[in-house]
Amino acid sequence: MTDPVIDNDATRRIIDADFTTALPKTELHAHLSGSISRETLSSIWQTKKSQGDDGALALGDPAIALKPSGSFPTILSFFQIFNEYIYNLVNDRESISYATKSIAEDFRRDGVRYLELRTTPREIPTAGISRENYVQIVLDALGQYRNDQVQMKAADHIGIQLILSIDRTMTPSQAHEIVDIASKYMSRSRAPSTTIPPPSVIALDLCGNPTKGDVGTFTSAFRRAKAFGLKLTVHFAEVPASSTEEELRTLLSWRPDRLGHAIHIPPDLKDVIKKQKLGLELCLSCNVLAEMTQGGFKGHHFGEWAATECPVALSTDDVGVFESSLSNEYLIASREFGLGREEVVQLARGAVAAAFAGRERMERLIGDFERVEQIPSSL
Ligand SMILES: CNc1ncnc2c1ncn2[C@@H]1O[C@H](COP(=O)(O)O)[C@@H](O)[C@H]1O
């Protein structure tokens, strides 16, 4: 856990984990399978083991099979975690549903009040699950979680919407299939809701191993998604190999609403992004621990973008892998970039501005900020 920071204003108010946890937060870049905690993976493994599941037994206990705390994958070894372990363990209705609800609860407990969770619709023939079934299972789990919250009338509830990811290794026809599913499960209601809005698909994402695939093959799928009214976010300039002028111009030609990571951007394209005031999903711990950026936290490009008019949403990316919660990311930002309390609150407000839900849907969260801003130094 990151050390507390003393705000350098006259009141020297402490910015600690209590404060950043209490801060109503918006998480906009979290991959479902990467957000499953080790405890949840262990519990799924134990259940499968007790049912005599040979596949789970062969995988081994996640507490041992996945690297112990404190040791992190680099961007090059990272994708194996999913292909070789998590996708082989979380591979049926029960485990997908349980993992989804556990993630929702983990974010809620960390003080996240609005979450745009993203996931790649997976076909799992061994469990008779099609890509569309996968999306139904996740939406059903989120819907049940939401209904439980409504019933409990929890004050610190979380609203969750879903983003569907297209993986860079997919074929164009698989990408179009995901666009069809996204369009089928998107909400067409613009009405503001006084309770927690039911989950629906809100946007499309492009993700996956950035050293693979040709983004140009997805242009027609992303254009069609935009025409359906889906919002777009793309993983952008994650590694030098995926940061060619050609690739980045292709991605920008889709008119994305937000960019994820946004690391290796040439100066002329930075100007385009600033002019369009695109929302940026920036992941401090993921980028530093996976060695995607240089110069530690202080060298992270967050410092550069926070000074622009682009709304910045600090995000966790894969909290199950990097083990830094969103409240800890705010604490790191405060410590490494010298942010006082007001600036930390402003940062959290900026993330609201980048959300796809729209201002009316985010009203409640904005009200929460007003309450936090009125708290002088009691926390
Ligand atoms: C460095 N950060 C990243 N860059 C690119 N893609 C990433 C990622 N972190 C996760 N994913 C993508 O999300 C999938 C896991 O969640 P879902 O199965 O979709 O829920 C990974 O397989 C990868 O394709």
PDB file of all heavy atoms in Angstrom, residues 29 31-34 75 78-79 82-83 87 118-122 134 165 167 206-210 235 238 261 286-287 290 292 317-318 322, ligand 1:
ATOM      1  N   HIS A  29     -11.229   2.045 -17.400  1.00  0.00           N
ATOM      2  CA  HIS A  29     -10.418   1.093 -18.177  1.00  0.00           C
ATOM      3  C   HIS A  29     -10.063  -0.096 -17.289  1.00  0.00           C
ATOM      4  O   HIS A  29      -9.020  -0.123 -16.629  1.00  0.00           O
ATOM      5  CB  HIS A  29      -9.149   1.787 -18.700  1.00  0.00           C
ATOM      6  CG  HIS A  29      -8.368   0.963 -19.681  1.00  0.00           C
ATOM      7  ND1 HIS A  29      -8.052   1.409 -20.948  1.00  0.00           N
ATOM      8  CD2 HIS A  29      -7.832  -0.287 -19.595  1.00  0.00           C
ATOM      9  CE1 HIS A  29      -7.354   0.476 -21.590  1.00  0.00           C
ATOM     10  NE2 HIS A  29      -7.197  -0.557 -20.784  1.00  0.00           N
ATOM     11  N   HIS A  31     -10.249  -4.412 -17.540  1.00  0.00           N
ATOM     12  CA  HIS A  31     -10.557  -5.637 -18.293  1.00  0.00           C
ATOM     13  C   HIS A  31     -11.101  -6.675 -17.325  1.00  0.00           C
ATOM     14  O   HIS A  31     -10.477  -6.947 -16.289  1.00  0.00           O
ATOM     15  CB  HIS A  31      -9.292  -6.192 -18.939  1.00  0.00           C
ATOM     16  CG  HIS A  31      -8.684  -5.278 -19.957  1.00  0.00           C
ATOM     17  ND1 HIS A  31      -9.012  -5.331 -21.291  1.00  0.00           N
ATOM     18  CD2 HIS A  31      -7.771  -4.288 -19.835  1.00  0.00           C
ATOM     19  CE1 HIS A  31      -8.309  -4.415 -21.954  1.00  0.00           C
ATOM     20  NE2 HIS A  31      -7.553  -3.759 -21.095  1.00  0.00           N
ATOM     21  N   LEU A  32     -12.243  -7.254 -17.672  1.00  0.00           N
ATOM     22  CA  LEU A  32     -12.884  -8.200 -16.740  1.00  0.00           C
ATOM     23  C   LEU A  32     -11.921  -9.314 -16.299  1.00  0.00           C
ATOM     24  O   LEU A  32     -11.658  -9.472 -15.105  1.00  0.00           O
ATOM     25  CB  LEU A  32     -14.137  -8.789 -17.402  1.00  0.00           C
ATOM     26  CG  LEU A  32     -15.076  -9.609 -16.505  1.00  0.00           C
ATOM     27  CD1 LEU A  32     -16.492  -9.591 -17.073  1.00  0.00           C
ATOM     28  CD2 LEU A  32     -14.638 -11.030 -16.297  1.00  0.00           C
ATOM     29  N   SER A  33     -11.365 -10.054 -17.252  1.00  0.00           N
ATOM     30  CA  SER A  33     -10.547 -11.215 -16.847  1.00  0.00           C
ATOM     31  C   SER A  33      -9.275 -10.807 -16.115  1.00  0.00           C
ATOM     32  O   SER A  33      -8.716 -11.608 -15.361  1.00  0.00           O
ATOM     33  CB  SER A  33     -10.190 -12.086 -18.060  1.00  0.00           C
ATOM     34  OG  SER A  33     -11.359 -12.496 -18.705  1.00  0.00           O
ATOM     35  N   GLY A  34      -8.823  -9.575 -16.332  1.00  0.00           N
ATOM     36  CA  GLY A  34      -7.633  -9.095 -15.628  1.00  0.00           C
ATOM     37  C   GLY A  34      -7.966  -8.464 -14.284  1.00  0.00           C
ATOM     38  O   GLY A  34      -7.062  -8.114 -13.518  1.00  0.00           O
ATOM     39  N   ILE A  75       5.087  -6.453 -20.403  1.00  0.00           N
ATOM     40  CA  ILE A  75       4.078  -6.446 -21.457  1.00  0.00           C
ATOM     41  C   ILE A  75       4.283  -7.642 -22.395  1.00  0.00           C
ATOM     42  O   ILE A  75       3.335  -8.137 -22.994  1.00  0.00           O
ATOM     43  CB  ILE A  75       4.062  -5.086 -22.222  1.00  0.00           C
ATOM     44  CG1 ILE A  75       2.923  -5.001 -23.239  1.00  0.00           C
ATOM     45  CG2 ILE A  75       5.401  -4.779 -22.871  1.00  0.00           C
ATOM     46  CD1 ILE A  75       1.561  -4.918 -22.660  1.00  0.00           C
ATOM     47  N   PHE A  78       2.875 -10.843 -20.435  1.00  0.00           N
ATOM     48  CA  PHE A  78       1.585 -10.560 -19.825  1.00  0.00           C
ATOM     49  C   PHE A  78       0.416 -11.374 -20.411  1.00  0.00           C
ATOM     50  O   PHE A  78      -0.396 -11.930 -19.688  1.00  0.00           O
ATOM     51  CB  PHE A  78       1.358  -9.057 -20.003  1.00  0.00           C
ATOM     52  CG  PHE A  78       0.025  -8.543 -19.614  1.00  0.00           C
ATOM     53  CD1 PHE A  78      -0.300  -8.400 -18.290  1.00  0.00           C
ATOM     54  CD2 PHE A  78      -0.902  -8.197 -20.576  1.00  0.00           C
ATOM     55  CE1 PHE A  78      -1.534  -7.903 -17.921  1.00  0.00           C
ATOM     56  CE2 PHE A  78      -2.132  -7.699 -20.221  1.00  0.00           C
ATOM     57  CZ  PHE A  78      -2.448  -7.556 -18.891  1.00  0.00           C
ATOM     58  N   PHE A  79       0.356 -11.472 -21.740  1.00  0.00           N
ATOM     59  CA  PHE A  79      -0.838 -12.056 -22.371  1.00  0.00           C
ATOM     60  C   PHE A  79      -0.952 -13.563 -22.141  1.00  0.00           C
ATOM     61  O   PHE A  79      -2.045 -14.120 -22.210  1.00  0.00           O
ATOM     62  CB  PHE A  79      -0.896 -11.682 -23.870  1.00  0.00           C
ATOM     63  CG  PHE A  79      -1.067 -10.201 -24.044  1.00  0.00           C
ATOM     64  CD1 PHE A  79       0.034  -9.374 -24.214  1.00  0.00           C
ATOM     65  CD2 PHE A  79      -2.317  -9.616 -23.963  1.00  0.00           C
ATOM     66  CE1 PHE A  79      -0.110  -8.003 -24.318  1.00  0.00           C
ATOM     67  CE2 PHE A  79      -2.480  -8.246 -24.059  1.00  0.00           C
ATOM     68  CZ  PHE A  79      -1.377  -7.438 -24.235  1.00  0.00           C
ATOM     69  N   PHE A  82      -3.473 -14.867 -19.449  1.00  0.00           N
ATOM     70  CA  PHE A  82      -4.870 -15.091 -19.836  1.00  0.00           C
ATOM     71  C   PHE A  82      -4.999 -16.386 -20.632  1.00  0.00           C
ATOM     72  O   PHE A  82      -5.811 -17.243 -20.313  1.00  0.00           O
ATOM     73  CB  PHE A  82      -5.385 -13.901 -20.668  1.00  0.00           C
ATOM     74  CG  PHE A  82      -5.334 -12.624 -19.884  1.00  0.00           C
ATOM     75  CD1 PHE A  82      -4.268 -11.742 -20.015  1.00  0.00           C
ATOM     76  CD2 PHE A  82      -6.323 -12.330 -18.965  1.00  0.00           C
ATOM     77  CE1 PHE A  82      -4.200 -10.583 -19.258  1.00  0.00           C
ATOM     78  CE2 PHE A  82      -6.270 -11.174 -18.202  1.00  0.00           C
ATOM     79  CZ  PHE A  82      -5.213 -10.300 -18.353  1.00  0.00           C
ATOM     80  N   ASN A  83      -4.163 -16.499 -21.668  1.00  0.00           N
ATOM     81  CA  ASN A  83      -4.306 -17.646 -22.574  1.00  0.00           C
ATOM     82  C   ASN A  83      -3.950 -18.964 -21.905  1.00  0.00           C
ATOM     83  O   ASN A  83      -4.553 -19.994 -22.200  1.00  0.00           O
ATOM     84  CB  ASN A  83      -3.450 -17.436 -23.830  1.00  0.00           C
ATOM     85  CG  ASN A  83      -3.955 -16.235 -24.609  1.00  0.00           C
ATOM     86  OD1 ASN A  83      -5.162 -15.965 -24.640  1.00  0.00           O
ATOM     87  ND2 ASN A  83      -3.046 -15.487 -25.221  1.00  0.00           N
ATOM     88  N   TYR A  87      -8.146 -18.065 -18.758  1.00  0.00           N
ATOM     89  CA  TYR A  87      -9.205 -18.537 -19.668  1.00  0.00           C
ATOM     90  C   TYR A  87      -9.479 -20.038 -19.517  1.00  0.00           C
ATOM     91  O   TYR A  87     -10.559 -20.509 -19.875  1.00  0.00           O
ATOM     92  CB  TYR A  87      -8.851 -18.226 -21.125  1.00  0.00           C
ATOM     93  CG  TYR A  87      -8.874 -16.741 -21.463  1.00  0.00           C
ATOM     94  CD1 TYR A  87      -8.159 -16.243 -22.542  1.00  0.00           C
ATOM     95  CD2 TYR A  87      -9.626 -15.844 -20.710  1.00  0.00           C
ATOM     96  CE1 TYR A  87      -8.175 -14.885 -22.864  1.00  0.00           C
ATOM     97  CE2 TYR A  87      -9.647 -14.490 -21.008  1.00  0.00           C
ATOM     98  CZ  TYR A  87      -8.921 -14.016 -22.080  1.00  0.00           C
ATOM     99  OH  TYR A  87      -8.944 -12.678 -22.391  1.00  0.00           O
ATOM    100  N   ARG A 118     -14.817  -3.723 -19.206  1.00  0.00           N
ATOM    101  CA  ARG A 118     -14.731  -4.200 -20.593  1.00  0.00           C
ATOM    102  C   ARG A 118     -14.363  -5.679 -20.638  1.00  0.00           C
ATOM    103  O   ARG A 118     -13.652  -6.171 -19.749  1.00  0.00           O
ATOM    104  CB  ARG A 118     -13.737  -3.361 -21.404  1.00  0.00           C
ATOM    105  CG  ARG A 118     -12.317  -3.414 -20.923  1.00  0.00           C
ATOM    106  CD  ARG A 118     -11.431  -2.451 -21.688  1.00  0.00           C
ATOM    107  NE  ARG A 118     -11.708  -1.064 -21.372  1.00  0.00           N
ATOM    108  CZ  ARG A 118     -11.240  -0.026 -22.073  1.00  0.00           C
ATOM    109  NH1 ARG A 118     -10.480  -0.234 -23.135  1.00  0.00           N
ATOM    110  NH2 ARG A 118     -11.518   1.217 -21.724  1.00  0.00           N
ATOM    111  N   THR A 119     -14.862  -6.361 -21.657  1.00  0.00           N
ATOM    112  CA  THR A 119     -14.494  -7.767 -21.801  1.00  0.00           C
ATOM    113  C   THR A 119     -14.596  -8.204 -23.250  1.00  0.00           C
ATOM    114  O   THR A 119     -15.407  -7.676 -24.018  1.00  0.00           O
ATOM    115  CB  THR A 119     -15.343  -8.674 -20.885  1.00  0.00           C
ATOM    116  OG1 THR A 119     -14.708  -9.945 -20.771  1.00  0.00           O
ATOM    117  CG2 THR A 119     -16.769  -8.851 -21.383  1.00  0.00           C
ATOM    118  N   THR A 120     -13.777  -9.199 -23.612  1.00  0.00           N
ATOM    119  CA  THR A 120     -13.776  -9.753 -24.963  1.00  0.00           C
ATOM    120  C   THR A 120     -14.747 -10.926 -24.993  1.00  0.00           C
ATOM    121  O   THR A 120     -14.535 -11.908 -24.270  1.00  0.00           O
ATOM    122  CB  THR A 120     -12.360 -10.289 -25.303  1.00  0.00           C
ATOM    123  OG1 THR A 120     -11.386  -9.381 -24.804  1.00  0.00           O
ATOM    124  CG2 THR A 120     -12.194 -10.493 -26.797  1.00  0.00           C
ATOM    125  N   PRO A 121     -15.819 -10.848 -25.783  1.00  0.00           N
ATOM    126  CA  PRO A 121     -16.751 -11.978 -25.826  1.00  0.00           C
ATOM    127  C   PRO A 121     -16.016 -13.243 -26.290  1.00  0.00           C
ATOM    128  O   PRO A 121     -15.432 -13.265 -27.372  1.00  0.00           O
ATOM    129  CB  PRO A 121     -17.812 -11.532 -26.836  1.00  0.00           C
ATOM    130  CG  PRO A 121     -17.733 -10.030 -26.806  1.00  0.00           C
ATOM    131  CD  PRO A 121     -16.282  -9.721 -26.605  1.00  0.00           C
ATOM    132  N   ARG A 122     -16.031 -14.239 -25.426  1.00  0.00           N
ATOM    133  CA  ARG A 122     -15.285 -15.473 -25.690  1.00  0.00           C
ATOM    134  C   ARG A 122     -16.229 -16.595 -26.054  1.00  0.00           C
ATOM    135  O   ARG A 122     -17.249 -16.783 -25.395  1.00  0.00           O
ATOM    136  CB  ARG A 122     -14.549 -15.891 -24.406  1.00  0.00           C
ATOM    137  CG  ARG A 122     -13.090 -15.597 -24.410  1.00  0.00           C
ATOM    138  CD  ARG A 122     -12.393 -16.273 -23.245  1.00  0.00           C
ATOM    139  NE  ARG A 122     -12.861 -15.880 -21.935  1.00  0.00           N
ATOM    140  CZ  ARG A 122     -12.896 -16.712 -20.898  1.00  0.00           C
ATOM    141  NH1 ARG A 122     -12.528 -17.982 -21.041  1.00  0.00           N
ATOM    142  NH2 ARG A 122     -13.309 -16.294 -19.718  1.00  0.00           N
ATOM    143  N   TYR A 134     -21.809 -15.548 -23.823  1.00  0.00           N
ATOM    144  CA  TYR A 134     -20.831 -14.995 -22.874  1.00  0.00           C
ATOM    145  C   TYR A 134     -21.291 -13.611 -22.414  1.00  0.00           C
ATOM    146  O   TYR A 134     -21.290 -13.300 -21.217  1.00  0.00           O
ATOM    147  CB  TYR A 134     -19.445 -14.939 -23.535  1.00  0.00           C
ATOM    148  CG  TYR A 134     -18.375 -14.303 -22.671  1.00  0.00           C
ATOM    149  CD1 TYR A 134     -17.601 -15.069 -21.799  1.00  0.00           C
ATOM    150  CD2 TYR A 134     -18.146 -12.923 -22.708  1.00  0.00           C
ATOM    151  CE1 TYR A 134     -16.622 -14.484 -20.998  1.00  0.00           C
ATOM    152  CE2 TYR A 134     -17.176 -12.326 -21.914  1.00  0.00           C
ATOM    153  CZ  TYR A 134     -16.418 -13.107 -21.062  1.00  0.00           C
ATOM    154  OH  TYR A 134     -15.456 -12.517 -20.271  1.00  0.00           O
ATOM    155  N   SER A 165     -14.888  -5.755 -26.040  1.00  0.00           N
ATOM    156  CA  SER A 165     -13.569  -5.618 -26.662  1.00  0.00           C
ATOM    157  C   SER A 165     -13.441  -6.518 -27.883  1.00  0.00           C
ATOM    158  O   SER A 165     -13.871  -7.676 -27.859  1.00  0.00           O
ATOM    159  CB  SER A 165     -12.475  -6.021 -25.677  1.00  0.00           C
ATOM    160  OG  SER A 165     -12.487  -5.198 -24.536  1.00  0.00           O
ATOM    161  N   ASP A 167     -10.455  -8.217 -29.971  1.00  0.00           N
ATOM    162  CA  ASP A 167      -9.032  -8.518 -29.792  1.00  0.00           C
ATOM    163  C   ASP A 167      -8.321  -8.363 -31.138  1.00  0.00           C
ATOM    164  O   ASP A 167      -8.853  -8.733 -32.186  1.00  0.00           O
ATOM    165  CB  ASP A 167      -8.885  -9.960 -29.279  1.00  0.00           C
ATOM    166  CG  ASP A 167      -7.458 -10.271 -28.893  1.00  0.00           C
ATOM    167  OD1 ASP A 167      -6.619 -10.523 -29.783  1.00  0.00           O
ATOM    168  OD2 ASP A 167      -7.183 -10.250 -27.675  1.00  0.00           O
ATOM    169  N   LEU A 206     -10.849  -1.746 -28.734  1.00  0.00           N
ATOM    170  CA  LEU A 206      -9.880  -2.597 -29.424  1.00  0.00           C
ATOM    171  C   LEU A 206      -8.740  -2.860 -28.453  1.00  0.00           C
ATOM    172  O   LEU A 206      -8.128  -1.909 -27.949  1.00  0.00           O
ATOM    173  CB  LEU A 206      -9.336  -1.906 -30.679  1.00  0.00           C
ATOM    174  CG  LEU A 206      -8.303  -2.754 -31.434  1.00  0.00           C
ATOM    175  CD1 LEU A 206      -8.959  -3.911 -32.175  1.00  0.00           C
ATOM    176  CD2 LEU A 206      -7.497  -1.910 -32.412  1.00  0.00           C
ATOM    177  N   CYS A 207      -8.467  -4.135 -28.162  1.00  0.00           N
ATOM    178  CA  CYS A 207      -7.414  -4.455 -27.196  1.00  0.00           C
ATOM    179  C   CYS A 207      -6.610  -5.649 -27.677  1.00  0.00           C
ATOM    180  O   CYS A 207      -6.675  -6.022 -28.845  1.00  0.00           O
ATOM    181  CB  CYS A 207      -8.028  -4.733 -25.824  1.00  0.00           C
ATOM    182  SG  CYS A 207      -8.854  -6.343 -25.707  1.00  0.00           S
ATOM    183  N   GLY A 208      -5.854  -6.270 -26.786  1.00  0.00           N
ATOM    184  CA  GLY A 208      -5.074  -7.457 -27.117  1.00  0.00           C
ATOM    185  C   GLY A 208      -3.605  -7.133 -27.307  1.00  0.00           C
ATOM    186  O   GLY A 208      -3.193  -5.966 -27.228  1.00  0.00           O
ATOM    187  N   ASN A 209      -2.828  -8.183 -27.540  1.00  0.00           N
ATOM    188  CA  ASN A 209      -1.378  -8.052 -27.681  1.00  0.00           C
ATOM    189  C   ASN A 209      -1.029  -7.024 -28.773  1.00  0.00           C
ATOM    190  O   ASN A 209      -1.313  -7.242 -29.953  1.00  0.00           O
ATOM    191  CB  ASN A 209      -0.808  -9.433 -28.040  1.00  0.00           C
ATOM    192  CG  ASN A 209       0.690  -9.439 -27.991  1.00  0.00           C
ATOM    193  OD1 ASN A 209       1.332  -8.418 -28.212  1.00  0.00           O
ATOM    194  ND2 ASN A 209       1.269 -10.596 -27.712  1.00  0.00           N
ATOM    195  N   PRO A 210      -0.417  -5.905 -28.359  1.00  0.00           N
ATOM    196  CA  PRO A 210      -0.198  -4.821 -29.336  1.00  0.00           C
ATOM    197  C   PRO A 210       0.872  -5.137 -30.383  1.00  0.00           C
ATOM    198  O   PRO A 210       1.028  -4.376 -31.335  1.00  0.00           O
ATOM    199  CB  PRO A 210       0.236  -3.635 -28.454  1.00  0.00           C
ATOM    200  CG  PRO A 210       0.747  -4.241 -27.196  1.00  0.00           C
ATOM    201  CD  PRO A 210       0.047  -5.558 -27.012  1.00  0.00           C
ATOM    202  N   HIS A 235      -7.166   0.877 -27.544  1.00  0.00           N
ATOM    203  CA  HIS A 235      -5.819   0.851 -26.974  1.00  0.00           C
ATOM    204  C   HIS A 235      -4.922   1.542 -27.985  1.00  0.00           C
ATOM    205  O   HIS A 235      -4.909   1.164 -29.167  1.00  0.00           O
ATOM    206  CB  HIS A 235      -5.382  -0.593 -26.728  1.00  0.00           C
ATOM    207  CG  HIS A 235      -5.985  -1.187 -25.495  1.00  0.00           C
ATOM    208  ND1 HIS A 235      -7.335  -1.332 -25.318  1.00  0.00           N
ATOM    209  CD2 HIS A 235      -5.397  -1.636 -24.350  1.00  0.00           C
ATOM    210  CE1 HIS A 235      -7.566  -1.859 -24.128  1.00  0.00           C
ATOM    211  NE2 HIS A 235      -6.408  -2.048 -23.520  1.00  0.00           N
ATOM    212  N   GLU A 238       0.484   1.674 -27.338  1.00  0.00           N
ATOM    213  CA  GLU A 238       0.912   0.983 -26.104  1.00  0.00           C
ATOM    214  C   GLU A 238       2.388   0.632 -26.119  1.00  0.00           C
ATOM    215  O   GLU A 238       3.056   0.670 -25.098  1.00  0.00           O
ATOM    216  CB  GLU A 238       0.131  -0.326 -25.961  1.00  0.00           C
ATOM    217  CG  GLU A 238      -1.138  -0.222 -25.191  1.00  0.00           C
ATOM    218  CD  GLU A 238      -1.676  -1.598 -24.892  1.00  0.00           C
ATOM    219  OE1 GLU A 238      -2.243  -2.241 -25.804  1.00  0.00           O
ATOM    220  OE2 GLU A 238      -1.553  -2.052 -23.749  1.00  0.00           O
ATOM    221  N   HIS A 261      -4.186   4.056 -22.584  1.00  0.00           N
ATOM    222  CA  HIS A 261      -2.718   4.030 -22.413  1.00  0.00           C
ATOM    223  C   HIS A 261      -2.030   5.240 -23.043  1.00  0.00           C
ATOM    224  O   HIS A 261      -1.371   5.995 -22.362  1.00  0.00           O
ATOM    225  CB  HIS A 261      -2.099   2.709 -22.904  1.00  0.00           C
ATOM    226  CG  HIS A 261      -2.579   1.528 -22.127  1.00  0.00           C
ATOM    227  ND1 HIS A 261      -2.189   1.293 -20.840  1.00  0.00           N
ATOM    228  CD2 HIS A 261      -3.459   0.534 -22.444  1.00  0.00           C
ATOM    229  CE1 HIS A 261      -2.788   0.193 -20.392  1.00  0.00           C
ATOM    230  NE2 HIS A 261      -3.573  -0.278 -21.348  1.00  0.00           N
ATOM    231  N   CYS A 286       0.059  -0.276 -14.021  1.00  0.00           N
ATOM    232  CA  CYS A 286       0.186  -1.236 -15.126  1.00  0.00           C
ATOM    233  C   CYS A 286       1.364  -0.851 -16.014  1.00  0.00           C
ATOM    234  O   CYS A 286       2.231  -1.675 -16.307  1.00  0.00           O
ATOM    235  CB  CYS A 286      -1.126  -1.254 -15.930  1.00  0.00           C
ATOM    236  SG  CYS A 286      -0.925  -1.824 -17.621  1.00  0.00           S
ATOM    237  N   ASN A 287       1.425   0.411 -16.418  1.00  0.00           N
ATOM    238  CA  ASN A 287       2.472   0.837 -17.353  1.00  0.00           C
ATOM    239  C   ASN A 287       3.862   0.766 -16.747  1.00  0.00           C
ATOM    240  O   ASN A 287       4.822   0.362 -17.400  1.00  0.00           O
ATOM    241  CB  ASN A 287       2.222   2.273 -17.829  1.00  0.00           C
ATOM    242  CG  ASN A 287       0.973   2.437 -18.675  1.00  0.00           C
ATOM    243  OD1 ASN A 287       0.552   3.538 -18.960  1.00  0.00           O
ATOM    244  ND2 ASN A 287       0.357   1.339 -19.077  1.00  0.00           N
ATOM    245  N   ALA A 290       4.691  -3.157 -15.799  1.00  0.00           N
ATOM    246  CA  ALA A 290       4.881  -3.988 -17.001  1.00  0.00           C
ATOM    247  C   ALA A 290       5.964  -3.413 -17.915  1.00  0.00           C
ATOM    248  O   ALA A 290       6.142  -3.887 -19.038  1.00  0.00           O
ATOM    249  CB  ALA A 290       3.559  -4.139 -17.751  1.00  0.00           C
ATOM    250  N   MET A 292       6.215  -0.631 -19.558  1.00  0.00           N
ATOM    251  CA  MET A 292       5.759  -0.046 -20.825  1.00  0.00           C
ATOM    252  C   MET A 292       6.222   1.401 -20.947  1.00  0.00           C
ATOM    253  O   MET A 292       6.187   1.974 -22.031  1.00  0.00           O
ATOM    254  CB  MET A 292       4.223  -0.114 -20.882  1.00  0.00           C
ATOM    255  CG  MET A 292       3.697  -1.543 -20.883  1.00  0.00           C
ATOM    256  SD  MET A 292       1.972  -1.621 -20.394  1.00  0.00           S
ATOM    257  CE  MET A 292       1.149  -0.988 -21.853  1.00  0.00           C
ATOM    258  N   ASP A 317      -6.634  -0.945 -15.311  1.00  0.00           N
ATOM    259  CA  ASP A 317      -6.340  -1.891 -16.381  1.00  0.00           C
ATOM    260  C   ASP A 317      -6.622  -3.331 -15.949  1.00  0.00           C
ATOM    261  O   ASP A 317      -7.584  -3.932 -16.412  1.00  0.00           O
ATOM    262  CB  ASP A 317      -4.884  -1.749 -16.855  1.00  0.00           C
ATOM    263  CG  ASP A 317      -4.659  -2.385 -18.210  1.00  0.00           C
ATOM    264  OD1 ASP A 317      -5.058  -1.774 -19.211  1.00  0.00           O
ATOM    265  OD2 ASP A 317      -4.098  -3.490 -18.268  1.00  0.00           O
ATOM    266  N   ASP A 318      -5.771  -3.881 -15.077  1.00  0.00           N
ATOM    267  CA  ASP A 318      -5.914  -5.278 -14.656  1.00  0.00           C
ATOM    268  C   ASP A 318      -5.530  -5.367 -13.182  1.00  0.00           C
ATOM    269  O   ASP A 318      -4.418  -5.786 -12.839  1.00  0.00           O
ATOM    270  CB  ASP A 318      -4.982  -6.161 -15.490  1.00  0.00           C
ATOM    271  CG  ASP A 318      -5.355  -6.155 -16.969  1.00  0.00           C
ATOM    272  OD1 ASP A 318      -6.324  -6.831 -17.344  1.00  0.00           O
ATOM    273  OD2 ASP A 318      -4.687  -5.436 -17.739  1.00  0.00           O
ATOM    274  N   PHE A 322      -1.942  -6.531 -11.476  1.00  0.00           N
ATOM    275  CA  PHE A 322      -1.001  -5.524 -10.962  1.00  0.00           C
ATOM    276  C   PHE A 322      -1.258  -5.163  -9.502  1.00  0.00           C
ATOM    277  O   PHE A 322      -0.454  -4.465  -8.870  1.00  0.00           O
ATOM    278  CB  PHE A 322      -1.012  -4.285 -11.872  1.00  0.00           C
ATOM    279  CG  PHE A 322      -0.576  -4.624 -13.270  1.00  0.00           C
ATOM    280  CD1 PHE A 322      -1.476  -4.617 -14.321  1.00  0.00           C
ATOM    281  CD2 PHE A 322       0.732  -5.007 -13.524  1.00  0.00           C
ATOM    282  CE1 PHE A 322      -1.083  -4.974 -15.604  1.00  0.00           C
ATOM    283  CE2 PHE A 322       1.146  -5.366 -14.800  1.00  0.00           C
ATOM    284  CZ  PHE A 322       0.239  -5.353 -15.849  1.00  0.00           C
TER     285      PHE A 322
HETATM  286  C1  LIG B   1      -1.346  -3.792 -20.889  1.00  0.00           C
HETATM  287  N1  LIG B   1      -2.729  -3.821 -20.951  1.00  0.00           N
HETATM  288  C2  LIG B   1      -3.464  -4.409 -21.938  1.00  0.00           C
HETATM  289  N2  LIG B   1      -3.249  -4.117 -23.236  1.00  0.00           N
HETATM  290  C3  LIG B   1      -3.965  -4.728 -24.206  1.00  0.00           C
HETATM  291  N3  LIG B   1      -4.923  -5.630 -23.970  1.00  0.00           N
HETATM  292  C4  LIG B   1      -5.147  -5.952 -22.686  1.00  0.00           C
HETATM  293  C5  LIG B   1      -4.439  -5.355 -21.618  1.00  0.00           C
HETATM  294  N4  LIG B   1      -4.893  -5.870 -20.466  1.00  0.00           N
HETATM  295  C6  LIG B   1      -5.849  -6.777 -20.802  1.00  0.00           C
HETATM  296  N5  LIG B   1      -5.991  -6.823 -22.139  1.00  0.00           N
HETATM  297  C7  LIG B   1      -6.906  -7.659 -22.920  1.00  0.00           C
HETATM  298  O1  LIG B   1      -7.977  -8.070 -22.093  1.00  0.00           O
HETATM  299  C8  LIG B   1      -8.068  -9.493 -22.030  1.00  0.00           C
HETATM  300  C9  LIG B   1      -8.488  -9.924 -20.645  1.00  0.00           C
HETATM  301  O2  LIG B   1      -9.789  -9.499 -20.336  1.00  0.00           O
HETATM  302  P1  LIG B   1     -11.118 -10.041 -21.041  1.00  0.00           P
HETATM  303  O3  LIG B   1     -10.932 -11.507 -21.342  1.00  0.00           O
HETATM  304  O4  LIG B   1     -11.308  -9.233 -22.276  1.00  0.00           O
HETATM  305  O5  LIG B   1     -12.172  -9.817 -20.033  1.00  0.00           O
HETATM  306  C10 LIG B   1      -6.662  -9.965 -22.403  1.00  0.00           C
HETATM  307  O6  LIG B   1      -6.668 -11.255 -22.978  1.00  0.00           O
HETATM  308  C11 LIG B   1      -6.209  -8.918 -23.406  1.00  0.00           C
HETATM  309  O7  LIG B   1      -6.672  -9.216 -24.687  1.00  0.00           O
END
